[in-house]
């Protein structure tokens, strides 16, 4: 089993460039099957979730061509209806976007219940409520969701989401974009990846208005044309490098970002006493004074993102004073804290609250990535810790971070990708 081995204590310095947004790409790739032509998608992050999504789409009959590691061409014009490959679907949460995309394309979908990071119950009732309102019936048999619109004509409707859900907003947009008439999603998610998906669909000829606000209006169109589109930079990858810079009390410029998407993260770092300089497409973070504790509550966008909660908790574990972290989106996203405790972190958890008592120095230990962002938090902890940290289960981290070893190494970190077949911790990151 591969591992990351980090020797902590090196200040990060320099410049790092952010890749395309995972959570936009995993929505835009399935959206491309709604096109009546070939789509070329650029700035796709080279991560394992994308490889998996491409395998699923290929299995479904789409012609996928890798132009280079960050550009993919999708030709869905020869696709005919088939069930999704169940073994592959279980590997990622975003595979559930096939439900909306297939429903939009064929007026029916048979999709295995999705997998992905495990942080409590991950219901899809709001997705199904949306499909039903559009005129599709569904049943669930042996872990497969079958959704079908009997008269093959999904009809525009009014849908109020009971919870703000990224996944339900994406799925309803995908199903409604070629339906008849007007669909209005109220209490919609406002994340940057929702706006990116709407922009992609609008480039193809869709008529979507209001993405980025909590009311999205979708007027169904008959045709969507093939386009070339470039994915936005990854907000969470950028935030992760900001936290990594700060935990080592370093000085890092993060390029290829949309600073507006980072405002909630920037605000919290500034509250802690970090200097953040914002430019058009880059952001510099550096520390020249002791940091202060701060409280964080996760919320849907534009609130502080839950996908940055483990990383900021790892950072706060090294900041003097008691900080409270309130996870208000997921009911069980603190499993990684046990791993941080192995490194000496003083954190107690009570339901959705973590009480973090900052200590001067974490200590390297053998730890395990319990999910993607948990893995990122352990890297952040390891970068600041005294001694050696070994992280296993790094497949979780590789789902969402392109070239993380190379990027951190270029900033001065001592991090190696080590395979068990090499006994002497040889660097195998290039293999
Ligand atoms: N929820 C429901 N019913 C539903 C859908 C969601 O009650 O039908 C609840 C969930 O239980 C949760 C909340 O609504 O408490 C938010 O869930 P949401 O549907 O927004 O999450 P998601 O679409 O499954 C996406 C991201 C996650 C990110 C969340 C929240 C993708 C592929 N995944 O998940 O990203 O945590 O939104 O922002 O976009 C990650 O990148 O590490 C990651 C886990």
């Amino acid at each position: 089993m591969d591992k990351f081995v980090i020797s902590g204590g090196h200040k990060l310095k320099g410049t790092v460039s952010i890749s395309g947004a995972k959570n936009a790409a995993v929505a835009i790739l399935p959206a491309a099957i709604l096109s009546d032509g070939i789509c070329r998608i650029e700035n796709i992050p080279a991560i394992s979730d994308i490889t998996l999504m491409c395998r699923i789409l290929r299995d479904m009959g789409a012609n996928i061509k890798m132009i280079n590691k960050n550009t993919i061409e999708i030709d869905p014009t020869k696709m005919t209806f088939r069930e999704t490959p169940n073994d592959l679907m279980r590997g990622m949460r975003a595979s559930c976007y096939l439900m909306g995309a297939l429903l939009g394309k064929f007026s029916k979908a048979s999709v295995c219940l999705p997998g992905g990071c495990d942080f409590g119950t991950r219901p899809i009732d709001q997705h199904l409520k949306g499909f039903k309102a559009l005129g599709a019936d569904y049943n669930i048999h042996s872990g497969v969701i079958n959704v079908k619109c009997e008269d093959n004509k999904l009809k525009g409707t009014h849908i109020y989401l009971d919870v703000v859900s990224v996944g339900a907003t994406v799925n309803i947009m995908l199903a409604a974009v070629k339906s008849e008439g007007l669909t209005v999603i109220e209490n919609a998610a406002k994340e940057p990846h929702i706006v990116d998906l709407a922009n992609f669909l609008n480039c193809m000829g869709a008529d979507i208005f209001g993405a980025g606000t909590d009311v999205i209006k979708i007027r169904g169109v008959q045709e969507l044309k093939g386009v070339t589109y470039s994915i936005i930079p990854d907000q969470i990858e950028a935030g992760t490098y900001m936290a990594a810079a700060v935990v080592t009390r370093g000085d890092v410029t993060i390029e290829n970002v949309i600073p507006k998407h980072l405002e909630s993260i920037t605000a919290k770092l500034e509250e802690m006493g970090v200097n953040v300089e914002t430019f058009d497409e880059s952001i510099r973070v550096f520390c020249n004074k002791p940091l202060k504790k701060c409280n964080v509550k996760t919320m849907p966008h534009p609130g502080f993102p839950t996908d940055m909660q483990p990383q900021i908790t790892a950072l706060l574990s090294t900041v003097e004073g008691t900080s409270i972290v309130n996870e208000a989106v997921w009911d069980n996203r603190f499993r990684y804290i046990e791993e941080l405790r192995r490194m000496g972190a003083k954190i107690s958890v009570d339901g959705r609250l973590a009480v973090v008592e900052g200590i001067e120095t974490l200590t390297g230990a053998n730890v395990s990535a319990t999910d993607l962002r948990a893995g990122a938090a352990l890297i952040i902890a390891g970068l600041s810790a005294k001694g050696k940290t070994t992280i296993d289960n790094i497949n979780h981290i590789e789902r969402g971070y392109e070239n993380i070893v190379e990027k951190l190494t270029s900033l001065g970190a001592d991090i190696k990708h080590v395979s068990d077949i090499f006994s002497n911790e040889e660097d195998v990151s290039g293999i």
Side-chain angles (χ1 to χ4, degrees), residues 22-23 26 93-94 97 117 119 121-127 163-168 191 193 306-307 329-331 333 352 372-373:
K22 168 181 92 80
N23 288 346
V26 294
R93 182 69 187 171
Y97 294 157
C117 291
F119 20 75
T121 47
R122 297 191 72 171
I124 54 164
D125 55 299
Q126 300 302 304
H127 306 228
V163 288
V164 180
S165 161
V166 169
E191 269 66 6
H193 29 289
T306 172
D307 295 341
V329 176
W330 296 111
D331 53 21
R333 205 174 190 173
R352 287 174 176 239
L372 167 60
R373 309 303 173 187

Side-chain angles (χ1 to χ4, degrees), residues 369-394:
T370 48
D371 65 62
L372 167 60
R373 309 303 173 187
L378 295 175
I379 290 182
I380 287 168
L383 290 171
S384 82
K386 208 159 120 191
K388 190 170 87 174
T389 298
T390 302
I391 306 175
D392 64 24
N393 270 329
I394 60 169

